[in-house]
Amino acid sequence: MKIGVIYSRLRVEEKWLFQALEQRNISHERIQDDGLRFDISEAPQWQDYSAVIVRSLSTSRGLYASQVLNSWGVRTINPYRVGAICADKAATTLALAQAGVPQPRVKLAFTPEAAIAAGEELGYPYVVKPVLGSWGRLVNRVNDRDAAEAIFEHREVLGSFNHQIYYLQEYIQKPMRDIRAFVIGDQTPVAIYRASEHWITNTARGGKATECPVTPELHDICQKAAQAVGGGVLAIDVLEDPQRGYVINEINHTMEFHSTVPLTGVDIPGLIVEYACKG
């Protein structure tokens, strides 16, 4: 048994993962992605790993590393196909829709004019997000047509192709909080509420975390969402809709847990290591 960990920076999460590996006397190797090199034509020492946990801060580095390793038959946490779906909000939405998992209504458009029309079909307010991105960056609530025109004009000149893919999501009147639930295989070991006076409740944007009970209903929808994208080690962001109950907002395939572990006492890094060792 040998576990590799690909990482960018030694954050709290990576330190805890290495401690969990050491405490269990599991042979492992630290692999920083800034010096990583692959010879695409052959799979040398990588065949020695039972699994590789991919913790790159760069989504593109993590995805390409997983893709190469999976092509050589090396198991990664998470697999490339799971990461590719979760990294793209449109792909996540399609996967959830195909599996019949409840989620907010979403419209996709390719020009500002089409996006404005799509938004008016959704009804104000609605949320516009980049299809690629995290930590709540460039996420806007659109309250009226004037705001829509200003936001879409700004996106049009940002330069990156993904800013011209207009992902519009129904605004859910959540109770000033959302839920982040952690899925590890067939377990949903822990969840937290993220509360804020601001409509964006990410802890990266100042949301305050408190423990959330994992009810059978929450476990069920999180497992269905995880299976829709391929399963693995995931963070599921859940919204509480006043009429529909739980709906899935987003799924993260390289989750952070530095605030959840001290708050809840749940050994997330240990559970990740044990999942990686199951094979």
Side-chain angles (χ1 to χ4, degrees), residues 32-60:
Q32 246 183 311
D33 60 14
D34 59 1
L36 199 51
R37 299 181 302 280
F38 292 110
D39 185 340
I40 301 296
S41 61
E42 57 182 65
Q45 76 276 12
W46 293 96
Q47 302 290 358
D48 296 338
Y49 294 105
S50 305
V52 176
I53 301 171
V54 181
R55 295 286 307 172
S56 290
L57 284 172
S58 162
T59 299
S60 56

Side-chain angles (χ1 to χ4, degrees), residues 145-158:
R145 186 180 178 108
D146 287 344
E149 290 175 350
I151 290 166
F152 297 147
E153 180 182 2
H154 177 247
R155 299 267 170 123
E156 195 68 9
V157 298
L158 283 178

